[in-house]
Each structure stands twice: as structure tokens, then as C-alpha cells.
Amino acid sequence: NETFSFNKVVGMRTPDKGYMKAPVIVRGELSEGVGGGICQVSSTLFNAVDRAGLEIVQRYSHSRRVPYVPPGRDATVSWGGPDLRFQNKYNQPVLIRAKRHGGTMVVTLYSSDVVNHQLRKVPKAPSEIPKEEHQSGDH
């Protein structure tokens, strides 16, 4: 019955903790900020826990499409703002293992073989990151 909070576990994203500047989405616009890219981690985690049948307690989508997960399968997080929270309703603990392979994120969940669950069908993430689309117009 434990509830996992992404922001609580990961903590504030700061340069002192090794986070660097990268693209972030602020009010629908691309910008740059410390900890940019963290949502690829939270979105990949969301898809893994959702597929495993854990109960999603809190999740917010980005204001624009992101290239690393299928449309509508993202989970934006921000310190002091949106969080990804989920609850383990199973009778056994769950181990979360997250790894980075180049620009790819892999999250695997492990538990006891006595957990009775059915995997949910979740669309596969694209294998290639699409090219950035630039719109012309007055700015």
C-alpha cells in the first residue's frame, strides 16, 4: 500500500546534485532549465508501473507532445509542481530498476512470483526520435 512520489524520491534537481541545463517545456514553450530531460525518466517509469497494474494516484501530461513516448503516455514532473505518484496495491513489494542506455531509458519492475496481476497493454515507444518541427511565423 505504499505510495511512491517521484519528486519525493528524486528530490530537487540542482546543479549541486549534478543536474545540467537541458530543454524544458514551460507553459507550452520550449526553454532551457536545470534538470531538463527528467521527464523522460518519469514518463518511462509511468509506462512501466501502469503496464504492471500499479494504481496511478497522480499524473500530468505535458502541454505539448514529447518524442520519447507515444502520445498521451507522458508524465511531466517539476519540483514544487506536478508529480508522478503511484500506489502498490499488491500483497508483495515491488523493486524498481532504472537504467540509461545512450539516449534510451529502461525501467524494469520486479516482484514476487505470487503476485496475481495481468499486464496492461501499453503502446510501444518510438524507436527513433523524430526531427524537431519548426513553425514559421511572427514571434
Side-chain angles (χ1 to χ4, degrees), residues 50-98:
D50 187 44
R51 182 167 194 256
L54 298 173
E55 184 175 323
I56 306 302
V57 175
Q58 184 179 54
R59 174 186 74 102
Y60 298 93
S61 285
H62 288 84
S63 53
R64 60 190 289 177
R65 185 171 165 357
V66 293
Y68 42 79
V69 290
R73 299 297 306 173
D74 61 306
T76 185
V77 292
S78 175
W79 186 253
D83 195 6
L84 169 65
R85 294 174 54 226
F86 56 90
Q87 189 172 15
N88 179 6
K89 293 284 193 175
Y90 293 128
N91 62 342
Q92 298 291 318
V94 175
L95 170 69
I96 302 166
R97 175 166 285 158

